[in-house]
Amino acid sequence: MKLDRVHDLQDVFRKMVTAHSFPGRILSIESVMSGIDKDLPLPAHLCVIALTLLDAETGFAVVSARSDEQVRLISQLTYARSVPLDEADFLFAKSGDEYVLSALDAAKEGTLEDPHKGATVIMEVAGMCSDDPANYDEASGADEAAALADVSGTPGNRPFNGDSLSGGESSESFQSAEGRATALGSTVSTDWPEWILTGPGIETEKRLRVAGSPKWAEIRAVRNKEFPLGVDCILIDPTGRMAALPRTTKMKRVEEGAA
């Protein structure tokens, strides 16, 4: 493992702090993921998160088809304690309703005396994106957002690489924008459910698209309805894109065709 456990993980931790301070903002840990051995049973993006958050004082659980071997690996790397789902401080859930919903449903909410003891669910998602360049911390993300906005026709978010596109656009310019979005890969999609986020750390609102079924957001809302009790979430995709959703963040789905 080529990972620098001091500098690399400090960098990831700082990004996690930023993500929780500004819910819905997309950050990247891709540069750190390259230091993780590819033959490990735990994907690099989840391995980096585990190494950053866990230590001998924390309890964790894994919800996936390979949970047994992944639990053993995490314990070896971090010395953290494997505990039942409803006792875990951190739950790692593989993408898919089968795993994510189980983790959210079982996660502890804390108590009125100690609400901070509510669990954090690290949710693997297939992808996430935003058509607002301000919602990214990386320049490449801003380019992606602009390309996505060009394809989706989102008003007010049309600049790309500093070039303003205003007024009517020719089919040639649209095809160019579509090509840019395609070149950016699967991290760009207008088909994913889009969410309006509001709450502390968000000046007005943010919009975030998350791949997959929207059922997890319904369970999250139920678990967080009795604030200060609740469950915090960290979304992470295989490319290293990360966003935090503290229990104080409200989510409302943008219906298809809505502005």
Side-chain angles (χ1 to χ4, degrees), residues 5 9 12 16 29 42-55 58 60 62 70 73-75 77-80 90 92 122:
R5 290 207 177 201
L9 296 185
V12 174
M16 285 187 175
I29 61 170
L42 189 68
H45 53 290
L46 294 178
C47 193
V48 169
I49 299 296
L51 287 166
T52 304
L53 292 177
L54 304 183
D55 58 31
T58 53
F60 77 97
V62 177
Q70 290 172 345
L73 174 66
I74 292 175
S75 295
L77 293 175
T78 67
Y79 302 105
F90 298 96
F92 294 79
I122 295 88

Side-chain angles (χ1 to χ4, degrees), residues 3 24 35 47 49 61 64 66 68-69 82 84 87 96 116 120 122 147-148 160 177-178 196 205 214 222 228 230 235:
L3 185 75
C47 193
I49 299 296
S64 77
R66 305 178 66 184
D68 289 345
E69 55 185 325
S82 173
E87 298 177 16
H116 64 281
T120 296
I122 295 88
L148 177 60
F160 185 82
E178 187 175 43
I196 297 175
E205 65 179 41
V222 171
L235 311 184

